[in-house]
Amino acid sequence: MRVQRHPVESGFTLQIDTPVGRQSFPATVPGSIHTDLIAAGLIGDIRTTGTEAEQEWIRSADSSFRTTILAQSAASHELNFLGLDTLATVSINGQQRLVTENMHRAYSIAVDATKDLDLQIEFRAPLPEALKRQEKQGIYPNPYNMPYNYFRKMACSFGWDWGPITGTSGIWKPIILTSWDEGILDLVTVITDVVDLIPTLKVITQGRGSATLLRIKVNGNHVAEFESTVNSSNTYQLPGFDLWHPRGFGEPVLYTVHVELLSDTGEVIDATTKRVGFRSVTLDRSNFDDRQMFAIMVNGQRVWAKGVNWIPDDPFPHRVTRADYEKKIEDLYSVEVNAIRVWGGGIYESDDFYDLCDEKGIIVWQDFLFACAAYPENEIFVEEVKAEATQAVNRLSNHPSLVLWCGGNECIEGFQHWDWKEPLAGKAWGSKYYFDILPTILNELDGTRAYIPGSPFSTLSEDVKDFASGTNHIWDVWNERGYQRYEEYSPSFAAEFGYNGPGSWRTLTKAINEKDLDSKDPNLATHQKAFDGMDKVAAGLKREFAQEFVKGPEWYFAAQLVQARAVEVGLKHFRSQYDTCSGSILWQYNDMWPAISWAVLDSSGSRKLSWYAMREAYRPRLLHLSGENRKLVIINDTAELWRDQLYVVVLDEMGAIVETRNMAIAVDAKGQQVINLGLSLESNGYVVAQLGDIRTARRMLDKPVARINPVDAQITAAIEGLKVNVTVTAQSFIHEFSLLPELVAQDAVVVSAQRLTILPNETVYLEITATHSADAEIIHKSIEQIAWSLNSLVAGPTK
């Protein structure tokens, strides 16, 4: 009999203690109590229009899921629970069989499925249990006054500085009924490497039953076949097989590995298929001056990481589909991203996520799931971490894109710098995980990837915030100072930095059920989770503008503009330090709900102005007007010489051209050039530089802009299906020209370019692509209303 695996997903009911008593609802599996209550109309969806307040009671509500599994034919049976969130008790026909407290693990129990099975899974509410453990075990500090660190649950479900508190429970991954008799494969771990220039394949198997013969087939550009036995570990050399290369270094060549368990008669009775790529991974930590490199090396070549931080894409991660992942990763690919960090306060993403990164050649840095907290080191917690990490490493080992494991996010920094020692009162705080348990598991299971104990982390100093080596997190820009502060830093690897700004106008107004946005509105403030976030946004506006903007499209545009400037300057600056800095991982790419946050793409898929700034800064060829002297940095990250004519235009604060110059430029492949323009920086004017089709512009002085010339331009639009073609013919200088169709559109809209600098007597063409014809029509009619620039913000509407 071939092994049979069937999902258990029908007939489930949910019982939950609601404010009006215990109630029953139909349940969807995989799912959660929140999504079942959304489907029943009891609460709103917090990802769109629902509020934290209406569902606050859920985080303290016990719940139960129940179904009947009909009898199966005679064989060995087991139930595989791929994900239970989190404090679950599983009973079969009234008998308790399993107790769990880790949503990141899978569990299995043997069952007698020759008769009907009454399956009941009871969930204790996470918040009351966490508070009980906090009282019993003492304080383990974290920044959020929520006890998310007392069992193994997605940390950000207790809220974060960009996301809502959900505290959900439920069957968030499939339940599988497995039936078998002769034999079964319990585990297949596939690991690739390149040793002495030869691709190698390691296959580790565990199984049960009388069938023991394995057939291993590798298919792709080349083919190989091997025989082995179950419960073994074998390494095979594959000379001549092609390598998997990260983006920009060649093709991400993939192979398919089939591992088949054979009966005595040669029949395939169980099988697993995994895709692999052959590559080697190391970290370059070579010394120079009084510093040390921190560079990810793939196949012996340094990958300069143009990356983003990734958070869970939905408050309820079971809803994220392969199509959702594909859309976002394709979006990242379109802006030259070659690296993604999966942040430690979320989840180990589904294989779909890593599959797509494998295909695109995007390298992945994966945090183990620890974030911004001290964690207990008691026996139960240690065993949970070991089991969780073992499963995660085994599951993800075949993905060539996964090149770096990290012990966790800001936990070591917290112990060193966040005044934890007094509340800990001498208790162990988690260091055993980062320096012992996790690297030991990796070395035993998969020694082919790089590992660091945490981020930030120094490879030269005990102080993890040391900037001479390792990975660095830069948060004083957002918390205290302007984005110009980025240009004072020289990190070895900028792993976290970013600036906060509003999500799409359409997303936020829909979420708070208002027609306008007012930064003083407490309803809007509920979607700003950063500490003193609205005050910090206001402080950023004050640093940039002499006028005060507090509400309406003016506030919205100004706040998005400052975020975009910060993203552009930060990313371009770190890229300009190519010889000493090996990566920039922007915080953050995505949002899980309507938010004022650091994301560049909001929860509805709308691109913020900062998304376009990221695209500009990650181009293979770019220009950056750097530092107080506005030196011009020219970066050529292509394999070809960049030769063209450089044009520089200097304007005064009212947009009058005061100087022009041009010169021939040649920048070597993978090279940089720095030009001191010798600018007079006494006026708060502007400098514009253009080389080929790449243009950049920046104000001369970093002080609040008080005046600028009004816009003198003709803005026309023509509609063609879902596209609105926009023509701007300028008679005057226009800085940071942007189109904001979200002010009128009902769905996500794509604009071809944003924050354009237009010189007098120039014409530019832009394209707006709507999702629906009704949106295209209203955008076409509202073209002047949605046209914004620094000029219109400061000096008033277009003439």
Side-chain angles (χ1 to χ4, degrees):
M1 169 186 167
R2 188 180 180 101
V3 176
Q4 297 179 3
R5 295 178 174 88
H6 301 292
V8 178
E9 55 190 11
S10 62
F12 276 92
T13 58
L14 162 67
Q15 287 192 328
I16 184 169
D17 296 326
T18 75
V20 295
R22 196 160 183 88
Q23 293 184 267
S24 295
F25 303 92
T28 299
V29 172
S32 70
I33 54 178
H34 281 75
T35 50
D36 288 335
L37 296 175
I38 292 167
L42 194 67
I43 61 172
D45 188 342
I46 204 165
R47 186 171 170 82
T48 53
T49 59
T51 67
E52 281 182 298
E54 69 175 324
Q55 49 201 265
E56 183 176 347
W57 60 273
I58 299 175
R59 64 188 80 154
S60 299
D62 292 340
S63 58
S64 175
F65 292 81
R66 193 167 195 160
T67 194
T68 298
I69 303 171
L70 298 179
Q72 309 291 307
S73 59
S76 297
H77 302 283
E78 55 196 50
L79 283 173
N80 308 121
F81 302 90
L82 303 189
L84 299 174
D85 178 15
T86 292
L87 303 169
T89 299
V90 178
S91 297
I92 305 291
N93 295 334
Q95 181 183 2
Q96 181 178 307
R97 298 293 309 280
L98 177 67
V99 178
T100 78
E101 54 177 68
N102 189 335
M103 75 174 283
H104 307 301
R105 282 184 61 185
Y107 302 86
S108 294
I109 57 174
V111 295
D112 178 6
T114 59
K115 55 187 177 182
D116 290 356
L117 300 178
D118 177 20
L119 171 63
Q120 183 169 4
I121 308 175
E122 297 175 300
F123 289 93
R124 282 176 292 158
L127 183 57
E129 178 60 26
L131 291 170
K132 288 178 187 176
R133 296 190 185 194
Q134 179 176 265
E135 183 176 358
K136 182 178 180 180
Q137 299 175 24
I139 296 291
Y140 285 86
N142 71 67
Y144 296 110
N145 197 33
M146 286 291 283
Y148 63 81
N149 43 333
Y150 288 82
F151 41 78
R152 302 300 295 150
K153 180 173 171 60
M154 182 175 82
C156 65
S157 68
F158 285 82
W160 217 258
D161 58 3
W162 38 256
I165 301 171
T166 57
T168 195
S169 299
I171 307 165
W172 80 288
K173 287 187 176 183
I175 300 173
I176 306 295
L177 176 63
T178 302
S179 305
W180 63 281
D181 51 13
E182 291 180 80
I184 185 171
L185 288 172
D186 292 316
L187 173 70
V188 175
T189 300
V190 180
I191 302 166
T192 61
D193 202 355
V194 178
V195 180
D196 296 329
L197 303 180
I198 299 175
T200 64
L201 175 71
K202 185 176 183 179
V203 181
I204 305 167
T205 59
Q206 295 176 13
R208 290 167 287 158
S210 60
T212 60
L213 183 63
L214 290 180
R215 181 167 60 210
I216 301 166
K217 298 188 291 186
V218 187
N219 298 325
N221 291 355
H222 306 280
V223 177
E225 186 172 315
F226 310 96
E227 284 192 355
S228 181
T229 56
V230 77
N231 296 316
S232 65
S233 174
N234 296 286
T235 300
Y236 307 98
Q237 291 189 327
L238 298 169
F241 275 56
D242 299 314
L243 299 189
W244 180 93
H245 293 285
R247 183 178 192 180
F249 292 86
E251 293 300 312
V253 178
L254 295 169
Y255 290 86
T256 302
V257 178
H258 305 276
V259 180
E260 300 172 336
L261 178 63
L262 306 179
S263 69
D264 292 340
T265 61
E267 177 189 3
V268 177
I269 59 174
D270 199 5
T272 296
T273 299
K274 298 197 175 190
R275 285 196 314 175
V276 301
F278 298 98
R279 82 288 177 269
S280 64
V281 180
T282 56
L283 282 180
D284 179 3
R285 295 181 176 178
S286 56
N287 296 314
F288 65 98
D289 299 329
D290 57 349
R291 302 185 57 182
Q292 197 172 83
M293 293 290 291
F294 185 90
I296 297 169
M297 308 284 289
V298 180
N299 301 328
Q301 294 183 290
R302 181 175 80 147
V303 180
W304 207 101
K306 296 187 286 187
V308 294
N309 281 275
W310 176 282
I311 65 169
D313 204 40
D314 193 295
F316 315 111
H318 68 270
R319 296 196 298 193
V320 183
T321 65
R322 182 181 178 88
D324 295 328
Y325 284 125
E326 189 168 18
K327 185 175 182 180
K328 294 238 169 35
I329 290 173
E330 186 64 43
D331 180 70
L332 286 169
Y333 193 80
S334 75
V335 291
E336 306 293 335
V337 163
N338 67 0
I340 301 175
R341 176 193 177 208
V342 182
W343 168 77
I347 59 173
Y348 306 106
E349 297 289 342
S350 82
D351 280 288
D352 290 332
F353 172 90
Y354 305 95
D355 282 341
L356 291 162
C357 291
D358 293 343
E359 293 169 9
K360 293 292 187 183
I362 296 174
I363 62 173
V364 176
W365 157 346
Q366 175 69 57
D367 280 2
F368 285 103
L369 302 183
F370 299 87
C372 302
Y375 288 86
E377 292 185 15
N378 58 58
E379 183 178 353
I380 293 175
F381 208 100
V382 166
E383 291 307 310
E384 287 293 341
V385 169
K386 287 181 177 178
E388 168 194 320
T390 298
Q391 289 186 6
V393 172
N394 280 325
R395 176 171 74 87
L396 300 178
S397 63
N398 64 292
H399 294 287
S401 58
L402 203 170
V403 299
L404 176 67
W405 284 96
C406 173
N409 177 74
E410 295 183 351
C411 298
I412 306 172
E413 177 186 359
F415 180 73
Q416 291 184 354
H417 294 280
W418 296 356
D419 299 322
W420 287 1
K421 293 181 176 62
E422 183 177 344
L424 281 170
K427 295 193 298 288
W429 54 276
S431 61
K432 184 175 183 178
Y433 305 125
Y434 319 128
F435 294 102
D436 179 10
I437 291 173
L438 296 175
T440 298
I441 288 172
L442 277 169
N443 287 334
E444 290 175 350
L445 299 178
D446 177 7
T448 68
R449 291 168 167 86
Y451 172 78
I452 56 175
S455 189
F457 185 72
S458 172
T459 56
L460 281 178
S461 168
E462 289 187 5
D463 183 358
V464 297
K465 296 181 73 171
D466 174 51
F467 267 74
S469 66
T471 66
N472 307 116
H473 295 192
I474 303 171
W475 284 113
D476 59 348
V477 167
W478 159 248
N479 287 314
E480 303 164 15
R481 304 181 61 174
Y483 56 81
Q484 296 82 4
R485 169 70 167 165
Y486 286 135
E487 297 176 301
E488 300 175 27
Y489 281 113
S490 299
S492 294
F493 194 105
E496 263 193 35
F497 61 98
Y499 202 91
N500 183 297
S504 164
W505 177 277
R506 175 184 58 84
T507 304
L508 288 173
T509 53
K510 180 179 178 181
I512 64 174
N513 194 28
E514 299 281 356
K515 294 182 179 179
D516 200 0
L517 296 180
D518 185 337
S519 64
K520 306 294 186 182
D521 181 353
N523 289 327
L524 181 60
T526 63
H527 290 263
Q528 167 64 277
K529 292 296 185 177
F531 300 118
D532 301 319
M534 299 307 284
D535 290 339
K536 291 174 182 176
V537 170
L541 297 181
K542 190 174 182 179
R543 285 190 291 264
E544 298 291 301
F545 307 105
Q547 295 167 252
E548 184 179 19
F549 303 110
V550 295
K551 67 178 183 178
E554 292 82 4
W555 172 81
Y556 168 75
F557 177 60
Q560 279 218 3
L561 204 56
V562 176
Q563 182 190 18
R565 291 174 179 176
V567 166
E568 180 182 3
V569 168
L571 290 178
K572 285 185 173 182
H573 172 67
F574 298 134
R575 286 196 65 193
S576 75
Q577 301 198 336
Y578 180 87
D579 291 337
T580 58
C581 175
S582 294
S584 58
I585 311 293
L586 178 68
W587 189 272
Q588 67 210 60
Y589 170 63
N590 54 329
D591 253 336
M592 63 161 55
W593 79 316
I596 306 168
S597 80
W598 298 268
V600 297
L601 190 81
D602 85 354
S603 58
S604 68
S606 291
R607 297 168 173 176
K608 297 160 71 169
L609 293 183
S610 53
W611 183 94
Y612 295 88
M614 178 178 69
R615 181 177 70 176
E616 174 66 25
Y618 276 160
R619 291 182 188 276
R621 291 176 169 176
L622 65 92
L623 306 176
H624 176 44
L625 291 159
S626 173
E628 292 182 353
N629 295 325
R630 301 299 190 252
K631 293 180 295 184
L632 180 65
V633 182
I634 307 173
I635 299 173
N636 179 18
D637 193 25
T638 72
E640 299 177 352
L641 174 72
W642 189 9
R643 187 191 301 274
D644 218 314
Q645 199 75 8
L646 172 68
Y647 295 91
V648 177
V649 179
V650 180
L651 305 98
D652 66 19
E653 66 177 337
M654 294 305 292
I657 295 175
V658 296
E659 182 185 355
T660 61
R661 59 179 92 161
N662 66 83
M663 63 189 80
I665 295 293
V667 183
D668 291 337
K670 300 292 183 180
Q672 289 193 20
Q673 192 172 131
V674 179
I675 300 174
N676 190 340
L677 296 174
L679 299 171
S680 173
L681 299 175
E682 298 176 358
S683 161
N684 197 15
Y686 303 83
V687 58
V688 181
Q690 182 156 345
L691 185 62
D693 60 352
I694 306 297
R695 173 178 288 186
T696 193
R698 193 170 175 183
R699 290 188 297 126
M700 292 281 205
L701 300 179
D702 295 318
K703 68 177 187 179
V705 60
R707 63 183 195 135
I708 189 174
N709 61 285
V711 173
D712 186 0
Q714 288 77 49
I715 304 173
T716 60
I719 191 168
E720 184 179 336
L722 295 179
K723 296 187 183 297
V724 179
N725 298 305
V726 181
T727 301
V728 182
T729 302
Q731 279 73 53
S732 69
F733 170 70
I734 308 175
H735 191 46
E736 296 175 307
F737 180 85
S738 305
L739 294 169
L740 308 180
E742 65 268 26
L743 295 176
V744 296
Q746 296 301 306
D747 212 331
V749 176
V750 173
V751 183
S752 58
Q754 298 279 35
R755 295 179 61 239
L756 299 178
T757 294
I758 309 172
L759 294 171
N761 301 314
E762 282 188 337
T763 298
V764 299
Y765 304 93
L766 299 100
E767 185 177 271
I768 304 172
T769 304
T771 307
H772 306 292
S773 57
D775 275 346
E777 291 285 351
I778 194 170
I779 289 167
H780 176 246
K781 294 175 182 176
S782 310
I783 200 66
E784 292 194 1
Q785 178 186 344
I786 68 170
W788 285 77
S789 62
L790 178 66
N791 308 64
S792 61
L793 184 66
V794 173
T798 304
K799 290 172 63 176

